Amino acid sequence: MNRFLPLALGLTLLPGFAAAAPRVIPGFATPESVLIDGDRRYVSNIGTTLDPLAKDGDGFISSLGADGTLIDRHAFPADGTTLDAPKGMAITGGRLYVADIDRVIGFDIATGIRGFEASLPAGGPSLANDLAATGDGALLLSDTLRGAVYRLDPATRGWTLLTDAIPGANGIVYDAATRAALVAGLGADFSGGDLYTLPEGGPARRVEGGPHGILDGLARLPDGRLLVSDWIALSPPTPGRLLLLRPDGTDPTPLDLGIPILGPADFGAAADGTLWIPATLGDAVVVAPPS
């Protein structure tokens, strides 16, 4: 790693990250999200151009092994159906669910067959962005354009609006122990947002002392700390960053990933600390190993 790169990007080297050189896996089509499930990594691809609202049928989900080997570039859909601009994903009940503009699609993991679809409630344009499984079979979904978070019951296809007060709602994680979600926002006009906590039955509240930026992916590490990605700027494209947070979402500290990443979106964190980060504007996935 170029020892001057962290200084050029304004990053700080923290223990536990980027001691080894990151690996870049090319060959994707505007990758937006990485979901880790055991020894598999699933990557959602928006398509040939960065158009998160285009209903063009050119989206797909790739499957990789834990070592980064490409298993199937077009793993889903595998049944002749189409995806438009797939983004965040979650797994529950043997299905891989994905947010796709104004709907949630579910695929049987074993067969690749599409067995579920639920359109978002009416109410104007939507941008279904990220998904989180609650552990009881339900899903939480963020809608960026509506600034909303919904609860979806796949058994009934019923929606419950939990909040519409998170400008640019994006990345979401759920804590079954506290029955609360954390939601990263990128702002109503996509120029900068904040981190919010969303307790069950309560209003969304901005985390005081939390990060501010064009926030995207959000993940909780095994030690309880949080990571959130920040695009920093959309125009002109600017190398983004990942911010390490305390368990309560405060005290953001940049990580040195050892490589500039254009468009760090909805990343995945493996149990061993390895980060799988979609470089959306680079058509690649960056694998940053722990020290």
Side-chain angles (χ1 to χ4, degrees):
M1 180 182 72
N2 185 336
R3 65 188 180 91
F4 297 108
L5 183 60
L7 298 176
L9 297 181
L11 301 178
T12 303
L13 181 64
L14 294 183
F17 291 90
R23 177 184 177 189
V24 178
I25 306 174
F28 299 95
T30 319
E32 202 281 335
S33 179
V34 178
L35 175 66
I36 296 175
D37 180 44
D39 61 356
R40 289 295 177 96
R41 282 85 176 103
Y42 298 104
V43 181
S44 64
N45 295 260
I46 290 175
T48 55
T49 60
L50 179 57
D51 191 342
L53 295 173
K55 294 189 175 182
D56 49 17
D58 73 343
F60 59 95
I61 298 172
S62 304
S63 173
L64 292 82
D67 61 355
T69 300
L70 181 64
I71 296 172
D72 191 342
R73 189 170 187 265
H74 289 81
F76 304 95
D79 56 2
T81 60
T82 61
L83 288 171
D84 293 314
K87 300 174 187 69
M89 298 170 286
I91 291 176
T92 185
R95 278 183 180 153
L96 172 67
Y97 292 90
V98 61
D100 190 13
I101 304 180
D102 57 2
R103 59 185 181 168
V104 172
I105 304 294
F107 297 97
D108 181 270
I109 294 177
T111 65
I113 294 175
R114 176 167 154 176
F116 178 89
E117 180 172 352
S119 297
L120 268 72
S126 61
L127 177 55
N129 206 322
D130 199 14
L131 285 170
T134 63
D136 61 359
L139 298 166
L140 299 184
L141 176 130
S142 62
D143 186 328
T144 301
L145 293 184
R146 299 182 187 182
V149 175
Y150 294 91
R151 179 183 173 93
L152 170 62
D153 181 353
T156 65
R157 289 176 169 76
W159 295 93
T160 303
L161 176 64
L162 302 182
T163 184
D164 59 1
I166 301 177
N170 198 339
I172 183 168
V173 295
Y174 180 75
D175 187 339
T178 62
R179 302 180 69 86
L182 282 166
V183 185
L186 49 78
D189 56 0
F190 290 35
S191 64
D194 302 288
L195 183 67
Y196 289 77
T197 181
L198 180 60
E200 183 178 21
R205 297 190 299 270
R206 186 173 70 87
V207 175
E208 298 291 338
H212 179 82
I214 304 177
L215 306 180
D216 197 319
L218 184 63
R220 189 174 293 279
L221 301 175
D223 65 3
R225 294 181 299 172
L226 293 160
L227 276 175
V228 64
S229 60
D230 176 10
W231 285 51
I232 298 182
L234 298 178
S235 182
T238 303
R241 60 183 180 175
L242 263 65
L243 301 170
L244 184 67
L245 313 173
R246 291 179 178 173
D248 62 0
T250 63
D251 192 24
T253 305
L255 298 181
D256 172 22
L257 298 173
I259 187 173
I261 300 176
L262 288 173
D266 185 21
F267 61 93
D272 66 354
T274 301
L275 303 178
W276 294 69
I277 310 162
T280 302
L281 302 182
D283 290 337
V285 170
V286 175
V287 183
S291 59

